[in-house]
Amino acid sequence: MPRKTADITRSKNRETPRPIAVRVPAPGEGKRGEEGYLGYLLRQAHAAVRLTMERTLADLGVTSPQFAVLTMLNAYPGLSGADVARLTFLTPQTVGVIIRNLERDGAIVMTPHPVHGRIQQWTLTPRGATLLKACRERVIALERRLARDLDAKAETAVRRWLAGIAADLQED
């Protein structure tokens, strides 16, 4: 009995489709530019700023999350670790590691809460304030770069818009 499977299973035009070369658009092009979703564009901008900040602070031995923690403790001395996590958009576990490292390096110090003894409050030490000052000089230069094409009125509008998004979406 002859086998017919060869005729049934083989296709006469069975060519492997050639992959189409796709060029990934650069930031600012296509959906990564003005055609993109606002949320994506905000995330893309954040990623670019964070990478630049990491590179800017690297030789000081500070990461951008550490900079955020130092900044918030400078602005609001006596915060708890949970408060710092909320303000810096970091997980409590990440903040715990950052706080331990900053305390080990002498940049921050813990004091117990005057009423709730289990709550630990964190403040900058003079060493931490000096470190933050060096970081801020570099970050301020980056912020100037971010705003270089904006006049004062436009910069105020952008700041108001970004803060408004955070406040509005916080309610969700």
Side-chain angles (χ1 to χ4, degrees):
M1 191 181 253
R3 297 182 85 186
K4 293 186 177 183
T5 55
D7 293 335
I8 296 171
T9 58
R10 287 192 188 147
S11 171
K12 292 179 183 177
N13 293 328
R14 189 165 188 167
E15 291 183 23
T16 305
R18 293 184 177 199
I20 300 171
V22 177
R23 187 182 75 76
V24 176
E29 296 179 350
K31 290 292 186 184
R32 296 185 75 191
E34 294 177 18
E35 298 174 23
Y37 292 105
L38 286 175
Y40 175 82
L41 296 174
L42 284 168
R43 176 114 169 112
Q44 176 180 245
H46 173 263
V49 169
R50 182 167 174 168
L51 179 60
T52 303
M53 188 180 298
E54 292 285 348
R55 291 175 176 160
T56 300
L57 300 176
D59 67 314
L60 294 174
V62 176
T63 64
S64 58
Q66 288 173 326
F67 172 72
V69 169
L70 290 169
T71 298
M72 289 303 150
L73 289 178
N74 184 61
Y76 311 106
L79 290 174
S80 69
D83 291 332
V84 171
R86 281 189 288 279
L87 289 173
T88 57
F89 313 107
L90 298 168
T91 66
Q93 295 83 358
T94 299
V95 168
V97 171
I98 290 170
I99 282 176
R100 281 192 300 278
N101 290 338
L102 291 173
E103 182 183 33
R104 179 200 65 216
D105 295 344
I108 63 173
V109 65
M110 184 273 293
T111 56
H113 188 279
V115 176
H116 306 285
R118 290 178 30 166
I119 297 176
Q120 299 173 339
Q121 295 181 299
W122 298 96
T123 55
L124 293 182
T125 64
R127 177 176 164 75
T130 300
L131 180 60
L132 178 59
K133 183 176 186 263
C135 293
R136 285 175 66 177
E137 290 171 1
R138 295 173 184 204
V139 171
I140 287 169
L142 173 58
E143 292 222 343
R144 281 193 200 108
R145 181 177 171 195
L146 295 175
R148 72 177 165 220
D149 294 332
L150 302 174
D151 61 24
K153 186 175 179 181
E155 183 178 345
T156 298
V158 168
R159 288 176 182 275
R160 186 174 294 130
W161 178 70
L162 291 170
I165 289 171
D168 181 51
L169 296 181
Q170 178 71 27
E171 296 171 6
D172 294 347

